[in-house]
Amino acid sequence: MESETAARRIAVFGATGSIGASALDVIARHPAQFRASVLAAGTQVTALLALCQQHRPDHAVIADPQLYTQLRDGLRSAGLATQAHAGAQALDTLAASDACDTVIAAIVGAAGLSSTLAAAAAGKRILLANKESLVLAGRLLTRTAAAAGAEIIPIDSEHSAIFQCLRSRDASLDGAGVRRILLTASGGPFRGRGRDELAQVTPAQAVAHPKWSMGPKISVDSATLMNKGLEVIEAHHLFDVPGDRIEVLVHPQSLVHSLVEFVDGSTLAQLGLPDMRTTLAVGLAWPHRIEAGVGGLDLLKQGRLDFEAPDLAAFPCLALAWQAMDAGGTAPAILNAANEVAVSAFLQGKIGFLSIPALVDNALSTLAVDAADTLGVLLEADTRARHLTQTAIEAA
Ligand code: NAD
Ligand code: MG
C-alpha cells in the first residue's frame, strides 16, 4: 500500500527561487508522501536558513563557498540537525547520493548542468526546470539519463503539457505517431509592440510578466521570446521530435499550455491556470495525481482563448534559437551562454533590451561551431561565448 511506503526524499536545488518555492509548497501539502531532504541555493543564505527551519532537511547546500560558515552557524544556532555543505561539488555529490530519490533541478542557467548530469548518471527521477542544461548539453543529458535509467520529467508548463498529452499514446517519450508539437507562448510583456518601441524598455518593465510570476532571468527571456526559443530546443531533446515539427503559437491567456497533433489528425491539449505548482505536482507524483493547491479552470469566466503567430521581426531571439538548433553541435551552448551574459548585463542596466539579440547574434556568427561530443567541448564553447559577449559589452 502506498501509505505504508516511506516518504520519497526530494532534493530541491534552487530552493530559494520561484520554482523552489512552488515545489516546497506542493511537498509540504503531502508530508506522508514527500519530504524535502536536501535544500540548495546559490548565495541567499538567509533565505535558505529560513527554509531549513521550516522544512528540516537532512542537508543544506550553499553554492558560494564563502557563505559556508554562515550557513553552518545559522543551522547550529537554530538547533537544527541539518548538515551544512558548500560549493558546486557538494551539489553533484548529494544529487548522486542516497540522500535523495528525486532531484528538482531548479537552479537558473548553465550553473545547473553539473548537478543535473550527476543526478542523471545516478539514475534519479529528475524534475527538470533548468532548461538551460538541455539547451547546452541536450543529447549528453538525455543519453546519460537513458543509460542510467533516470527519469526526466519536465518542469516547464509547455513541456509538462506535451508530456501529459504524449502519455495518451503509449509509455514511451519518443516522437512516434506525433505529427507536430504546438508550443504555446504568452508573448511576454511586450507582445504587440514593434521593434522601435522596444529600444527603451527597462528591466522593471521586462520582468513584469503578465501571466507568470518567475525569477528575473526567465522573465527577461520571456520578454525577448528567447525563452520560447530555449523551449523549442528543450522540446526537441525531451521528446525526440525534429525541429521542423515544432511550432510556436502565441496564446496570451496562458491557459492552453501546449498541444500535440498526432498522425491520425487528433490534437490533444493540456489546460490549466498559470501556476507552476500544477506542473510540480505532475512531476512529483507521476503517474498519480495529487492536490497542488491550484484551483480549476473556469472557462466561462475566462471567456476566450486567442492564438496568433509570433512576431519574429520584433523578437529575433526566437529565430536565433531555431538557427542554433539547426546548426547543432556547440551552437545552442553558444546561444545560451551569450544570452545569459546579455540578460545579466541588461538586468544591471548596462545594455539596452535590443542589445540582447544583437549580442547573441554576434556570438553565433563569430564563434566556430564544433561537434558537441563531450562535456569538455560544450563547456569550452560556453566559456568562449561568455568571454566574447562580456568583451563586446565592455567595448560598447
Ligand atoms: P530564480 O531566479 O527565482 O531562482 C533561481 C535559484 O537558483 C535560486 O534558488 C538561486 O539561489 C539558485 N542559484 C542561482 N545560481 C546558482 C548556482 N550557481 N548554484 C546553485 N544555485 C544557484 O529562478 P526560477 O524562476 O525559479 O527559475 C529556475 C529555473 O527554472 C530556470 O532554469 C528557469 O528557466 C526554469 N523555469 C522556471 C519557471 C518559473 O515559473 N519560474 C518556469 C519554467 C522553467
Ligand atoms: Mg515555459
Side-chain angles (χ1 to χ4, degrees):
M1 286 296 290
E2 196 156 274
S3 56
E4 287 172 15
T5 59
R8 283 184 75 86
R9 287 157 311 156
I10 318 291
V12 186
F13 289 179
T16 54
S18 160
I19 290 288
S22 294
L24 289 169
D25 181 289
V26 179
I27 290 168
R29 287 168 193 276
H30 303 279
Q33 268 177 282
F34 307 110
R35 189 166 73 81
S37 61
V38 184
L39 296 183
T43 56
Q44 294 134 306
V45 70
T46 311
L48 181 60
L49 280 166
L51 292 176
C52 288
Q53 298 228 30
Q54 206 180 334
H55 299 278
R56 303 184 167 265
D58 303 326
H59 303 273
V61 191
I62 194 81
D64 182 348
Q66 294 187 6
L67 298 169
Y68 171 73
T69 327
Q70 207 180 324
L71 176 63
R72 185 200 56 196
D73 296 350
L75 289 169
R76 265 191 211 155
S77 58
L80 294 170
T82 307
Q83 229 178 297
H85 308 260
Q89 181 61 49
L91 288 174
D92 297 5
T93 306
L94 284 166
S97 77
D98 59 12
C100 59
D101 315 291
T102 296
V103 173
I104 301 188
I107 292 174
V108 60
L113 174 62
S114 185
S115 53
T116 305
L117 270 174
K124 299 294 162 90
R125 174 178 281 204
I126 303 171
L127 270 53
L128 186 58
N130 178 241
K131 66 189 87 187
E132 292 91 347
S133 62
L134 269 175
V135 172
L136 167 50
R139 197 164 340 156
L140 190 69
L141 181 55
T142 52
R143 282 186 183 175
T144 304
E151 194 183 7
I152 298 181
I153 303 187
I155 302 298
D156 207 343
S157 55
E158 301 79 359
H159 305 74
S160 176
I162 296 161
F163 173 89
Q164 293 173 66
C165 293
L166 286 177
R167 293 300 171 118
S168 71
R169 179 194 47 161
D170 57 37
S172 75
L173 263 188
D174 65 43
V178 173
R179 189 181 282 154
R180 53 183 187 141
I181 284 177
L182 293 156
L183 206 61
T184 54
S186 69
F190 306 135
R191 183 179 62 86
R193 297 206 200 178
R195 205 177 150 71
D196 298 348
E197 298 166 89
L198 295 174
Q200 303 303 329
V201 300
T202 65
Q205 292 170 321
V207 300
H209 197 279
K211 294 292 173 190
W212 294 94
S213 161
M214 310 183 288
K217 192 265 179 178
I218 182 176
S219 296
V220 175
D221 284 347
S222 299
T224 60
L225 287 201
M226 179 58 93
N227 183 50
K228 213 46 57 179
L230 301 179
E231 290 186 357
V232 170
I233 303 174
E234 181 186 7
H236 163 65
H237 288 297
L238 282 173
F239 308 119
D240 201 13
V241 170
D244 60 7
R245 289 204 269 138
I246 304 172
E247 290 173 32
V248 171
L249 200 56
V250 174
H251 166 50
Q253 290 90 0
S254 293
L255 298 173
V256 178
H257 297 305
S258 277
L259 312 92
V260 178
E261 182 184 313
F262 295 94
V263 289
D264 55 13
S266 186
T267 296
L268 296 189
Q270 185 260 346
L271 289 80
L273 293 172
D275 188 322
M276 289 306 289
R277 290 178 301 172
T278 298
T279 314
L280 283 149
V282 169
L284 282 165
W286 191 264
H288 305 290
R289 297 282 183 171
I290 55 169
E291 275 282 345
V294 183
L297 194 57
D298 184 346
L299 282 172
L300 282 178
K301 190 169 144 212
Q302 299 289 346
R304 50 187 296 167
L305 302 173
D306 295 308
F307 300 95
E308 58 194 56
D311 181 348
L312 297 178
F315 302 97
C317 284
L318 181 53
L320 289 168
W322 285 105
Q323 184 191 317
M325 183 175 62
D326 289 345
T330 51
I334 294 169
L335 169 99
N336 179 65
N339 182 60
E340 282 190 30
V341 173
V343 169
S344 166
F346 171 71
L347 283 168
Q348 293 167 58
K350 292 183 184 163
I351 60 168
F353 188 75
L354 292 177
S355 296
I356 299 172
L359 286 162
V360 173
D361 195 1
N362 176 56
L364 280 173
S365 52
T366 308
L367 295 172
V369 172
D370 302 313
D373 298 332
T374 65
L375 184 58
V377 170
L378 290 163
L379 293 179
E380 199 187 300
D382 173 275
T383 304
R384 276 192 292 149
R386 279 172 204 273
H387 183 253
L388 179 96
T389 307
Q390 199 60 56
T391 308
I393 290 167
E394 279 153 23

